Amino acid sequence: MGKEREAPREVVRAACGKHGDDAVIDWCVAFLTGEISGEDAYGADLPKLVAITGNPNPGGWSAPVDPVNYYWIRVWAARVLLYVWRDDAVDALQVAARDPAWRVREHVARLTAQRELGQLVDALLPDLQHELPRVRATAARAVGAAGEAEHAEALQDLLEDPDLTVRVAAENALARLEKRLDRTFDRRT
């Protein structure tokens, strides 16, 4: 039986222990903003990618890596920020919130909810209409955690979503928004 993969939190902890929090965050910011390209991430900067993923062959792809898979680098970089943080990383998340890859934006939404990053909410609103329910639900949770009163209507629209998970996420997000803002919003039925 092969070695079990370490949990992301443990991988990040090990990378920070070896390289320092600031270095790891700097790498993630560079990956998220494109300062380190996908080609470089699988080339000269591969040790950085290996450190944040805990895998000697991140993605398990053969060389050369198909550029269609480069978005995974940004997903992994965003995931790292769930476990180690510095406030200036929000600037990279502003860039990543417009990423063409939904998995990257989904992680930005998770970070927005976790860290209550209100400055990212408007950039995430389009994902409330995404074709995948998991993306809509994650965006709704982010809006509930970090949004303002003007965002309530977007959540109210999701109360009639065809997917139950999205409806529940929208209801919970509205409740969280109400509690945070100390006010109530109508529930459409």
Side-chain angles (χ1 to χ4, degrees), residues 4-5 8 11 16 28 38 47 72 81 84 88 112 117 122 128 144 146 148 170-171 178 189:
E4 284 189 42
R5 275 199 145 147
V11 170
C16 289
C28 292
W72 278 104
L81 295 176
V84 62
D88 66 330
T112 299
L117 302 171
D122 286 338
L128 293 174
E148 296 297 333
E171 181 65 41
E178 288 175 336
T189 53

Side-chain angles (χ1 to χ4, degrees), residues 8 14 20 24 36 67 74 76-77 85 87 96 110 125-126 130 134 139 146 170:
V24 170
I36 296 177
R74 299 184 306 279
W76 297 324
W85 181 254
D87 287 341
R110 290 178 63 199
L125 291 178
H130 195 274
R134 69 184 266 179

Side-chain angles (χ1 to χ4, degrees), residues 4-98:
E4 284 189 42
R5 275 199 145 147
E6 284 186 276
R9 178 183 312 275
E10 298 308 314
V11 170
V12 173
R13 191 172 288 151
C16 289
K18 182 174 181 180
H19 304 284
D21 291 7
D22 284 334
V24 170
I25 292 168
D26 288 345
W27 299 341
C28 292
V29 164
F31 289 135
L32 285 167
T33 61
E35 181 184 327
I36 296 177
S37 70
E39 188 173 282
D40 287 342
Y42 277 100
D45 289 307
L46 183 60
K48 297 171 184 175
L49 188 59
V50 169
I52 69 166
T53 63
N55 190 322
N57 182 6
W61 298 298
S62 59
V65 175
D66 187 336
V68 76
N69 292 315
Y70 286 165
Y71 76 93
W72 278 104
I73 297 162
R74 299 184 306 279
V75 172
W76 297 324
R79 182 182 67 189
V80 167
L81 295 176
L82 291 167
Y83 305 108
V84 62
W85 181 254
R86 195 175 63 213
D87 287 341
D88 66 330
V90 77
D91 294 334
L93 294 177
Q94 289 282 9
V95 173
R98 295 182 303 275

Side-chain angles (χ1 to χ4, degrees), residues 118-138:
Q119 62 270 52
L120 295 174
V121 171
D122 286 338
L124 296 172
L125 291 178
D127 279 339
L128 293 174
Q129 304 303 315
H130 195 274
E131 65 184 294
L132 293 175
R134 69 184 266 179
V135 176
R136 294 194 304 274
T138 304

Side-chain angles (χ1 to χ4, degrees), residues 138-150:
T138 304
R141 286 189 283 277
V143 172
E148 296 297 333
E150 64 266 20

